Amino acid sequence: MLSLLSAALIAQTPPAPKPEIKPVIKPEVVVQPQEVRPLPGQLDSVLVFNSNSPEVVQTEGILLSTFPPAGKAHPQAHLDQAFQGQFDIFAHHISNQAKSSAPLRTLYMAIVLNNPSATPVTVNVLQAASYLSQPDAPFISLPPVTENNLGQVYAGPGDRVTNDILRGQRQSTWPASVVIPPQSNVLLLNVPIPVKTLTPPINGRSTLAHLRSSGPVYIASLAMYAKTDEGGQERAPSLEEWSNLLQTGTLSGPRDKTPTPPDAPGPLVYGRVAGVARGSRWQAQLSDRTTPGRLAIPKVGTAFSYPISTVARGAFGTGQVQSATMIKRYPDTAYAAHGNYGIQYSLTLPLYNPTEQVQSVAVLLQTPVKADDKPTALKFNNPPPSRVFFRGTVRVRYSDDQGNPQTRYVHLVQAPGQQGEPLVSLALRPRTSRLVQVDLVYPPDATPPQVLTVRTQAVPPILQPPTVPPGPSQAPQQ
């Protein structure tokens, strides 16, 4: 009887609903007629200490050293390049202990400066910031466009770091300057990348600093797990311990994928950067070739664009690869500073309306589908996929339609193939000019390239000046 009753109950039980299978929506490719022009100007000659390989650090050692190799236990780990005057430091590394069977430990990252000369050297810290992914700047979901005038909008440590640097800030934990005694080392940075309280135990740190030295300095970024004191508590490694690692250590690991040599056929591996790059800022005025100081806006319904952070095989047919040149690098790391992480683009657009009508013009940043052939149009995705290709703050300065100066900080989140929204829209009166200045520090975690676009749209009738019939003095001649 029990078995019959059980069978009856089972028979009366409705079948469990099948899980809803959402169809995969393949984005529509939108082809937008859009001229792409090479970006005027070029990178400056400021040297950048660029430490981004290995990105994931799982063994102690040297991340990047520009110290002289003489007398070191592993001379191949030292690139022998001094810095003097103005220079930058960029570093981005991750501690991933998710697959480790050993007890979790805090990884520390240090930046050591050395004065090889016989007199003290002063290093001024002009702007600087260093943030962790957790808890400083988690990767949260943000809208495509957010006003960020207060600087409180960011997602990810690279986003937050470049947000600070764009505003010319120096984080309070950084000194205004350091004095390096003759033939000595000092610690510029000695910071943790903790994972013990995180699930999974993964954390990253991004660092960017603009500095100026009164004399030559060597630089090294190093990785070491926390030391323990007599009570078993973790502590940061000391300058002496870092200096010993610099003297006796080898390159940290695991090593990233070996990059493809320039101009080699077949699949392209860009590789991670570890070395000294040349170029910290791209400053330019975008103007017509025939009329310097004036950028005629496109015809109504059309647009033109300038590429930002182009890479090999991703220059939209301009032939212009903007990646900073590596003057020193390890053999298994990138041949160029692909992505230009931490580089500031400062672009001035002297917009000019050559027509006799009011024109509505917009300036926007876009992330078109990556291409390298000569385009008569750019390709976009509708809808864009969920992946993020650009996440950062852009500053735009201009005079509004009432003539008032404006400064706007706009945080953007863009997926591959996203057309973007205007950073600024202006009503340009006939035969008049208006300056628009666009600045961004290219954020780590972004995927190049992007384009800066100028688009002219149809003008609402309310913006058009009224038609005034000719008076007696304006009567046409007979």
Side-chain angles (χ1 to χ4, degrees), residues 142-183:
L142 291 171
V145 180
T146 309
E147 293 291 335
N148 196 19
N149 289 332
L150 298 180
Q152 299 302 309
V153 180
Y154 43 79
D159 186 352
R160 189 173 183 182
V161 160
T162 52
N163 178 41
D164 282 10
I165 300 301
L166 180 62
R167 299 165 193 269
Q169 297 177 353
R170 184 180 66 246
Q171 193 178 11
S172 60
T173 52
W174 291 72
S177 63
V178 292
V179 177
I180 313 174
Q183 299 177 345

Side-chain angles (χ1 to χ4, degrees), residues 42-363:
Q42 60 185 5
L43 285 169
D44 62 18
S45 58
V46 172
L47 296 184
V48 179
F49 177 93
N50 195 318
S51 179
N52 189 211
S53 180
E55 183 186 26
V56 177
V57 179
Q58 295 179 328
T59 62
E60 297 181 329
I62 295 168
L63 301 169
L64 172 61
S65 169
T66 73
F67 278 58
K72 305 293 193 298
H74 299 274
Q76 74 280 4
H78 305 274
L79 298 180
D80 196 11
Q81 176 67 52
F83 296 76
Q84 186 167 353
Q86 188 169 337
F87 61 92
D88 291 0
I89 292 176
F90 170 74
H92 173 77
H93 297 282
I94 295 169
S95 177
N96 182 350
Q97 300 179 44
K99 296 182 179 180
S100 174
S101 58
L104 299 178
R105 295 181 293 167
T106 299
L107 182 72
Y108 272 79
M109 187 196 79
I111 294 178
V112 176
L113 304 181
N114 172 266
N115 171 13
S117 68
T119 58
V121 169
T122 299
V123 177
N124 294 311
V125 182
L126 308 177
Q127 296 96 32
S130 181
Y131 290 109
L132 292 163
S133 175
Q134 301 287 345
D136 300 338
F139 287 99
I140 59 175
S141 179
L142 291 171
V145 180
T146 309
E147 293 291 335
N148 196 19
N149 289 332
L150 298 180
Q152 299 302 309
V153 180
Y154 43 79
D159 186 352
R160 189 173 183 182
V161 160
T162 52
N163 178 41
D164 282 10
I165 300 301
L166 180 62
R167 299 165 193 269
Q169 297 177 353
R170 184 180 66 246
Q171 193 178 11
S172 60
T173 52
W174 291 72
S177 63
V178 292
V179 177
I180 313 174
Q183 299 177 345
S184 299
N185 296 338
V186 299
L187 278 170
L188 179 66
L189 199 67
N190 189 10
V191 288
I193 308 179
V195 298
K196 286 187 176 182
T197 61
L198 303 178
T199 304
I202 301 172
N203 208 354
R205 178 179 287 277
S206 294
T207 301
L208 181 59
H210 295 171
L211 308 105
R212 183 184 296 118
S213 70
S214 63
V217 295
Y218 294 107
I219 309 172
S221 58
L222 309 167
M224 189 188 304
Y225 287 104
K227 303 299 181 181
T228 53
D229 59 22
E230 294 179 357
Q233 299 297 312
E234 286 190 343
R235 65 167 177 83
S238 65
L239 174 60
E240 181 180 359
E241 289 164 334
W242 286 118
S243 297
N244 181 63
L245 176 63
L246 182 64
Q247 192 71 24
T248 62
T250 188
L251 290 176
S252 177
R255 306 305 293 170
D256 293 308
K257 288 184 178 180
T258 301
T260 305
D263 302 322
L268 175 61
V269 176
Y270 290 103
R272 288 280 169 180
V273 179
V276 180
R278 178 179 283 115
S280 166
R281 187 175 185 183
W282 191 301
Q283 187 170 10
Q285 183 180 80
L286 315 186
S287 59
D288 299 329
R289 295 176 182 175
T290 56
T291 313
R294 178 180 290 179
L295 181 62
I297 61 175
K299 295 179 180 179
V300 174
T302 65
F304 54 73
S305 301
Y306 296 92
I308 302 291
S309 196
T310 51
V311 294
R313 303 191 192 178
F316 300 112
T318 62
Q320 182 188 59
V321 174
Q322 297 172 9
S323 303
T325 301
M326 302 299 299
I327 65 168
K328 295 287 181 74
R329 52 178 284 274
Y330 295 123
D332 63 347
T333 62
Y335 288 90
H338 305 297
N340 280 351
Y341 296 149
I343 284 178
Q344 180 161 341
Y345 284 84
S346 297
L347 308 175
T348 302
L349 291 76
L351 301 176
Y352 175 68
N353 175 9
T355 75
E356 298 299 336
Q357 290 81 37
V358 175
Q359 300 287 357
S360 177
V361 61
V363 177

Side-chain angles (χ1 to χ4, degrees), residues 397-411:
R397 292 178 284 188
Y398 60 100
S399 293
D400 63 22
D401 293 339
Q402 288 71 46
N404 301 313
Q406 302 288 339
T407 297
R408 185 185 182 207
Y409 289 86
V410 187
H411 187 272

